[in-house]
Amino acid sequence: MTNQRNDGTNNRWRLAIIIVNYRTADLTVDCLASLAAPATVPDGTCVIVVDGGSGDGSAQRIASAIDENGWTNMACLALQENGGFAYGNNRGIEYAAERFGDPDYVLLLNPDTVARPMSIIMLVGFMDNEPRAGIAGSSLEHPDGRKQACAFRFPSISNEFEGEAKLGPITRLLDRWRVVPEMPQKPSRIDWVSGACMIMRSDLLHDVGLLDDRFFLYFEETDFCLRAARAGWSCWHVPQSRVVHLVGQATGVTRYTRPARRPPYWFQSRNLYFLKNHGLLYASLANLAWLCGHLVFRLRVVIERRQSGLPPHLLLDFLRHVGLGSRRGLSP
């Protein structure tokens, strides 16, 4: 990583990478090491790690790792509170602009990721060649190369039902609305991409603003991509840009072994997304669709006499935090 700017005038940075850390210092340092490796990020890249009030010495450990390794153009911003993913990224974007200047692009990157060689360079190159692309996401994968779902359709009444029912005939009937579509092996337009590795054009940020701070965690990138789409910007999945994602290591919510109980903020963020973008009636119908699909799946589990594999207390938590017509999570 060097100090060279993209235009040779030292007036504008190429890329600002924002990483929000909360008590995952070791993962964050590994992520920074991958970014510092040769041929990973373009020249003119700065990296801001935002520590969300970890209170466990994370900020000091990350700052020390940056100094000890001589990683240039990296900095750690220590916040006093954990305001969530959107809040942390917003403060990082503002800090990067103040300290390094306004970049061409901003990349949101999870601390539980490892950038493969050329991954970020390819992502920036794609944005250079698609001037109306406001957002793009990398292909996320496990360390062994297995692909993860990372490009999606916007949530709707149809896919809330299909996603919970998990039943072949229903999936085939509602295939065109499925949240996770089949993705081709070339860059393709999509509704929204995972915030684990999402690049956005600075012009888009000036157009639609920063992420919505009311989302503590989850659905903030979905909401942002919808705002971008409504403003006329496109969103793309770029499979040639490959980034390892250690799923759930940063939050503990998503696991591939034993599912964790979903925290209240997941339900609150989901409710906020539907209420904010579609109104109370649509949100109520989406909740009803989720509930019906969930009951269909539970009936199937009983008939087949097998384990559901669902997070503990999911139905009870849904009814407690969401309900059919709740306005929880929506504030001025």
Side-chain angles (χ1 to χ4, degrees), residues 6-26:
N6 63 310
D7 58 1
T9 65
N10 291 332
N11 290 325
R12 190 174 177 89
W13 286 86
R14 198 82 173 96
L15 175 68
I17 300 177
I18 312 298
I19 302 170
V20 177
N21 171 80
Y22 182 71
R23 300 183 177 179
T24 55
D26 291 340

Side-chain angles (χ1 to χ4, degrees), residues 155-171:
S156 67
I157 293 171
S158 298
N159 58 39
E160 285 292 287
F161 176 70
E162 183 276 327
E164 282 303 305
K166 303 178 182 68
L167 191 61
I170 293 175
T171 295

Side-chain angles (χ1 to χ4, degrees), residues 152-157 159-160 179 191-192 212 214-230 265-280 282-284 286-287 322 326-331:
F152 311 94
R153 294 189 177 104
F154 289 129
S156 67
I157 293 171
N159 58 39
E160 285 292 287
V179 171
D191 285 348
W192 66 280
D212 189 336
R214 292 177 295 175
F215 293 93
F216 181 80
L217 186 60
Y218 293 98
F219 290 91
E220 61 281 288
E221 73 266 62
T222 318
D223 173 74
F224 184 80
C225 289
L226 180 58
R227 287 163 51 202
R230 288 174 171 173
Y265 56 73
W266 186 92
F267 300 96
Q268 293 159 3
S269 291
R270 177 189 173 280
N271 215 35
L272 172 58
Y273 173 82
F274 279 114
L275 287 168
K276 173 187 175 182
N277 293 298
H278 300 292
L280 180 59
Y282 193 99
S284 299
N287 291 341
V322 177
S326 173
R327 296 186 66 86
R328 292 176 186 169
L330 187 62
S331 58

Side-chain angles (χ1 to χ4, degrees), residues 159-332:
N159 58 39
E160 285 292 287
F161 176 70
E162 183 276 327
E164 282 303 305
K166 303 178 182 68
L167 191 61
I170 293 175
T171 295
R172 288 189 291 272
L173 179 65
L174 301 177
D175 183 69
R176 61 180 295 189
W177 293 283
R178 265 196 312 145
V179 171
V180 186
E182 295 293 332
M183 296 300 299
Q185 298 304 308
K186 61 180 181 180
S188 306
R189 288 192 63 169
I190 193 67
D191 285 348
W192 66 280
V193 293
S194 170
C197 185
M198 181 174 79
I199 194 170
M200 56 188 72
R201 199 176 295 274
S202 285
D203 290 344
L204 166 63
L205 290 170
H206 296 317
D207 189 11
V208 305
L210 299 175
L211 280 72
D212 189 336
D213 281 355
R214 292 177 295 175
F215 293 93
F216 181 80
L217 186 60
Y218 293 98
F219 290 91
E220 61 281 288
E221 73 266 62
T222 318
D223 173 74
F224 184 80
C225 289
L226 180 58
R227 287 163 51 202
R230 288 174 171 173
W233 295 90
S234 59
C235 178
W236 292 75
H237 171 61
V238 184
Q240 287 72 31
S241 172
R242 299 169 55 208
V243 171
V244 174
H245 183 211
L246 306 174
V247 179
Q249 294 291 317
T251 65
V253 174
T254 306
R255 299 177 186 170
Y256 278 82
T257 53
R258 181 176 57 84
R261 186 172 184 175
R262 287 186 186 170
Y265 56 73
W266 186 92
F267 300 96
Q268 293 159 3
S269 291
R270 177 189 173 280
N271 215 35
L272 172 58
Y273 173 82
F274 279 114
L275 287 168
K276 173 187 175 182
N277 293 298
H278 300 292
L280 180 59
L281 176 60
Y282 193 99
S284 299
L285 293 174
N287 291 341
L288 180 60
W290 186 99
L291 181 60
C292 291
H294 187 79
L295 294 177
V296 167
F297 178 72
R298 283 186 175 272
L299 177 60
R300 177 186 170 191
V301 166
V302 171
I303 293 173
E304 295 179 355
R305 297 182 180 180
R306 63 182 178 87
Q307 295 293 319
S308 69
L310 294 172
H313 313 294
L314 180 58
L315 179 57
L316 180 62
D317 287 341
F318 177 85
L319 295 174
R320 177 185 296 120
H321 295 295
V322 177
L324 296 183
S326 173
R327 296 186 66 86
R328 292 176 186 169
L330 187 62
S331 58

Side-chain angles (χ1 to χ4, degrees), residues 111-130:
D112 57 354
T113 59
V114 176
R116 293 197 186 277
M118 294 299 295
S119 56
I120 311 304
I121 291 175
M122 287 183 175
L123 203 55
V124 170
F126 171 82
M127 296 294 285
D128 287 342
N129 293 324
E130 289 286 344

